[in-house]
Amino acid sequence: MSKNVTKMVAWFVIALASLVITCESVAKSSSYEQIEWIQLMPKDDLDALLNPPEYLTEIEDGSEQDTLDSLDAKPFENEQDKRYQQALSSARVIESYNNKKIRVPGFIVPLESEEGKRISEFFVVPYFGACLHMPPPPPNQIIYVKFEQGVELQSLYDAFWFEGKITINTVENELGTSAYELKLDRVLPYEE
């Protein structure tokens, strides 16, 4: 065979191998239901969180009033304010997601790490800074993960796709409480 034919055959084999790997990745990802975070909370919790009380706009970020405890101590002015407070700490879940294979985008809040930046125990949250700023997301918007292989995290700003089987399980930590747990199969960099 000429050198050109050999190069073409080598290129074809490489291209075919890449196609097989890509098809396997797509097949693995398609076995997971891609969900949005709001699907993990009851609709009435979502409605309450979308209608926050007026007094919240007066609270300065990082101030003494910017904590769940101070929000809980505030007297409820009406039923809407009371419902908002309840939704902030809601652990109510959507039962139909129990033991379901899902794919969800999110950010990592490290709970335990191994040497350097490999994170083996963490919360998955819907937005950057959740659990680090007050108030944290409600438990039905936090997913707990323990992943022996660990995830290499370069920055807390990095977003990922998480794939695995979700279960209903409450896990408490000083950074927050999760109402769900994910047996992680794969974690991939977030790309739309």
Side-chain angles (χ1 to χ4, degrees):
M1 265 194 260
S2 73
K3 287 184 179 180
N4 286 341
V5 171
T6 303
K7 285 182 184 177
M8 284 179 53
V9 168
W11 179 86
F12 179 73
V13 169
I14 291 170
L16 185 59
S18 296
L19 180 62
V20 167
I21 290 169
T22 301
C23 289
E24 285 176 1
S25 294
V26 169
K28 282 184 180 177
S29 290
S30 66
S31 69
Y32 299 91
E33 178 185 342
Q34 185 169 314
I35 65 167
E36 300 293 325
W37 280 92
I38 59 173
Q39 291 174 258
L40 295 175
M41 70 169 31
K43 184 179 179 331
D44 60 325
D45 280 357
L46 177 61
D47 292 343
L49 292 172
L50 292 174
N51 293 298
E54 290 289 324
Y55 65 81
L56 288 182
T57 59
E58 300 165 8
I59 297 175
E60 186 178 323
D61 282 346
S63 70
E64 289 180 18
Q65 294 82 30
D66 191 22
T67 66
L68 272 180
D69 289 339
S70 80
L71 289 176
D72 288 341
K74 183 138 176 82
F76 304 121
E77 294 183 16
N78 57 44
E79 197 59 35
Q80 180 182 344
D81 291 0
K82 181 179 178 183
R83 185 61 191 101
Y84 178 81
Q85 297 287 60
Q86 291 169 340
L88 276 179
S89 57
S90 178
R92 294 171 53 223
V93 294
I94 305 299
E95 294 286 338
S96 62
Y97 282 105
N98 195 32
N99 291 311
K100 189 171 243 182
K101 292 176 81 172
I102 66 160
R103 181 175 204 248
V104 65
F107 293 86
I108 291 176
V109 175
L111 301 176
E112 187 176 303
S113 63
E114 297 169 7
E115 300 171 19
K117 298 181 188 243
R118 258 186 130 53
I119 311 300
S120 57
E121 187 175 355
F122 53 92
F123 283 142
V124 177
V125 294
Y127 54 89
F128 168 75
C131 295
L132 303 176
H133 301 290
M134 287 297 167
N140 58 22
Q141 293 293 280
I142 300 176
I143 301 172
Y144 170 77
V145 175
K146 185 160 183 126
F147 190 54
E148 295 300 324
Q149 296 95 310
V151 176
E152 191 166 326
L153 184 63
Q154 299 298 320
S155 167
L156 292 176
Y157 293 100
D158 293 344
F160 297 93
W161 283 106
F162 299 91
E163 296 177 347
K165 185 187 284 187
I166 194 166
T167 57
I168 295 170
N169 186 32
T170 302
V171 175
E172 293 184 32
N173 181 282
E174 63 188 32
L175 294 177
T177 300
S178 66
Y180 293 99
E181 184 170 347
L182 186 66
K183 183 179 182 305
L184 192 62
D185 293 330
R186 288 190 338 157
V187 59
L188 305 162
Y190 179 80
E191 295 173 3
E192 290 189 62

